[in-house]
Amino acid sequence: MSFVRLIFCVAGVYSMFLWWAIVQERLSVPFQSIDGESSDKFRSALFLGTCQSFLSSLSALIYILLRKKKSETLIQALGFHDKNSEKTTSNGKAHTHTHHTNGVMKAKSNTRFSSKALLLGYAQCATFITFAAPFGFAALSYISYPAMVLGKSCKLVPVMIMNVLLYRRKFAPHKYLVVLMVTIGITVFMGFGSDNQKHGSKKTASSSTNAASTPYASLIGAVYLLINLVLDGAINSSQDEMFSRYKISGQQMMLWINLMCTCISFILMALPLPSIPVLLPSGNGRSELVAAWTFIQQHPLVISPLIEFSITGALGQLFIFETLQHFGSLTLVTITLTRKMFTMLLSVVVYNHQLTPGQWLGAAIVFAGISVEAFVKRNDIHAKRVLQEREKAKLKSL
């Protein structure tokens, strides 16, 4: 059942976000005005994020209501009840847990759940997400797309580091091996691209912006990308901690985080704030919400890709949070990273592109890393089944 769920999550993430990537590329090109006399690009990354987070929270709410049990209240379905206390109470009496301190057994009541702490955790993740995405978009103005993907391919590293630093979480030895192999594999795949591929990417990047020609452009882009990666690592590690501490579902987390993202970004857009680098580059005392709405009215062709972008992102997040809840952030990051490489492999088949020997080597390293993860998980599942069968046999003998 666990393997089937993983396949379902992978298929959902791949299908939704491949479509999402195609639409995102459409949004990066100029749109013709309604009078046909001019064209311009849609530049409000914050507005894109607001649309997607709003539909994501709406889809999560619909999912929760459809899956709500009859015995549950609405508050319980939204994740604000102590599931830990349900496991530690019996006949109306609360149980206590015990732990050793210098060889002495001490009682410890189960007080881990707190609605206030849970909301603060949601707010923390929402703030990180709201600020992380603009830094990723801004980095593309200063570095080439291959450099961006190369940096993103190392996302597994900050996720693991932030888990260790923030929450003292330890991982099985094979996890470190998988992280190393996947990161090296995608790095090799991107680094050994042909000259034509690299120059083509640079031309695409330079046609969208002239920022890369400024002094210290690479340094500025690297700093923006580093900030984006650090925030992504903090987001994933914080979500892992919340899942383990509060026993909430992926859809409950998706609902509240996206709802808070919508509120934060909407407030930032609605206020007539001064220009803020990266976050509100077109500020100057004008509401970005008004500017975005004016652009949509003057360029109605942008409406369709905006809707597609928001819907595919919302549905994709349902699969992402399902994966995050049941398999953890490292598995999720592995899926999202390999999706980028599968997109390139798909283009090889569809458009008959040629891969260099180095790129095939990188693909082999990534697949080997994924195989290690699958092999270990398969052995773990088999070991658990054997243990369960032994326990059942002991119970029958009694």
Side-chain angles (χ1 to χ4, degrees):
M1 181 63 184
S2 178
F3 180 73
V4 174
R5 187 192 296 272
L6 180 60
I7 294 298
F8 177 73
C9 290
V10 171
V13 170
Y14 276 27
S15 59
M16 287 297 103
F17 282 102
L18 285 176
W19 188 2
W20 179 85
I22 293 173
V23 177
Q24 186 182 38
E25 185 174 353
R26 286 170 55 193
L27 285 169
S28 67
V29 300
F31 290 90
Q32 194 171 32
S33 63
I34 195 169
D35 57 12
E37 296 180 358
S38 62
S39 61
D40 197 6
K41 292 182 179 181
F42 187 78
R43 306 179 187 279
S44 180
L46 205 58
F47 185 85
L48 287 175
T50 305
C51 293
Q52 181 173 302
S53 61
F54 173 74
L55 281 185
S56 296
S57 59
L58 183 61
S59 61
L61 178 60
I62 294 173
Y63 181 93
I64 290 171
L65 294 177
L66 290 176
R67 297 292 298 271
K68 177 179 170 292
K69 298 177 181 178
K70 293 183 179 180
S71 59
E72 283 184 326
T73 64
L74 180 60
I75 297 298
Q76 289 175 331
L78 295 179
F80 291 100
H81 67 295
D82 189 357
K83 292 185 179 180
N84 291 319
S85 64
E86 294 175 3
K87 297 179 181 179
T88 56
T89 58
S90 177
N91 298 325
K93 296 181 179 180
H95 292 277
T96 58
H97 299 286
T98 58
H99 66 282
H100 290 273
T101 304
N102 296 327
V104 180
M105 295 285 289
K106 292 186 178 181
K108 183 180 179 181
S109 60
N110 187 3
T111 57
R112 298 181 72 192
F113 187 89
S114 168
S115 296
K116 182 179 179 180
L118 180 58
L119 286 172
L120 287 175
Y122 287 146
Q124 173 183 306
C125 289
T127 303
F128 287 158
I129 291 171
T130 302
F131 285 89
F135 278 100
F137 284 118
L140 280 174
S141 299
Y142 297 94
I143 58 177
S144 64
Y145 184 74
M148 180 72 170
V149 175
L150 186 64
K152 281 288 190 179
S153 69
C154 300
K155 184 179 177 181
L156 287 165
V157 178
V159 168
M160 180 172 282
I161 291 175
M162 296 305 287
N163 264 295
V164 173
L165 293 179
L166 293 179
Y167 304 108
R168 303 294 189 269
R169 184 174 285 116
K170 295 181 179 180
F171 297 95
H174 80 276
K175 290 282 189 182
Y176 297 94
L177 177 62
V178 172
V179 166
L180 181 63
M181 293 180 72
V182 170
T183 301
I184 291 176
I186 297 182
T187 301
V188 169
F189 187 91
M190 295 302 303
F192 281 87
S194 65
D195 292 337
N196 290 335
Q197 290 172 330
K198 293 178 182 178
H199 293 327
S201 298
K202 290 178 181 178
K203 287 178 183 178
T204 302
S206 62
S207 64
S208 62
T209 178
N210 294 323
S213 61
T214 60
Y216 308 108
S218 297
L219 179 61
I220 296 173
V223 170
Y224 284 167
L225 182 57
L226 179 62
I227 294 173
N228 176 265
L229 289 174
V230 170
L231 289 173
D232 278 349
I235 292 164
N236 290 132
S237 58
S238 298
Q239 289 171 332
D240 276 345
E241 177 66 13
M242 291 172 68
F243 275 128
S244 62
R245 180 179 293 272
Y246 301 110
K247 308 302 179 186
I248 52 179
S249 72
Q251 289 70 34
Q252 289 167 345
M253 177 179 284
M254 177 180 170
L255 167 64
W256 290 105
I257 288 181
N258 279 285
L259 188 61
M260 291 184 180
C261 281
T262 303
C263 293
I264 294 172
S265 55
F266 184 82
I267 291 172
L268 289 173
M269 286 195 305
L271 294 176
L273 298 174
S275 180
I276 301 175
V278 180
L279 191 62
L280 293 172
S282 60
N284 296 324
R286 184 187 181 188
S287 168
E288 185 166 347
L289 182 62
V290 174
W293 184 250
T294 301
F295 182 93
I296 293 173
Q297 288 179 320
Q298 296 176 351
H299 306 79
L301 292 176
V302 77
I303 295 176
S304 178
L306 271 177
I307 295 174
E308 291 179 50
F309 179 86
S310 302
I311 292 176
T312 53
L315 294 178
Q317 281 198 45
L318 284 174
F319 291 105
I320 279 182
F321 278 97
E322 186 77 9
T323 305
L324 193 61
Q325 177 186 351
H326 295 284
F327 303 101
S329 62
L330 282 179
T331 300
L332 174 62
V333 172
T334 303
I335 293 172
T336 56
L337 285 178
T338 53
R339 174 185 60 84
K340 296 177 182 179
M341 194 179 68
F342 278 124
T343 304
M344 295 182 181
L345 292 175
L346 183 62
S347 69
V348 171
V349 176
V350 175
Y351 299 107
N352 197 28
H353 293 309
Q354 299 296 322
L355 293 183
T356 65
Q359 287 179 310
W360 285 116
L361 174 63
I365 295 173
V366 171
F367 283 119
I370 297 172
S371 299
V372 170
E373 176 75 5
F375 178 76
V376 173
K377 280 192 174 183
R378 181 180 178 183
N379 287 346
D380 288 344
I381 293 172
H382 178 70
K384 288 179 181 179
R385 287 178 179 174
V386 172
L387 184 61
Q388 289 175 353
E389 290 176 357
R390 289 178 180 176
E391 290 178 352
K392 289 180 180 178
K394 287 181 180 180
L395 292 174
K396 288 182 179 179
S397 63
L398 295 175

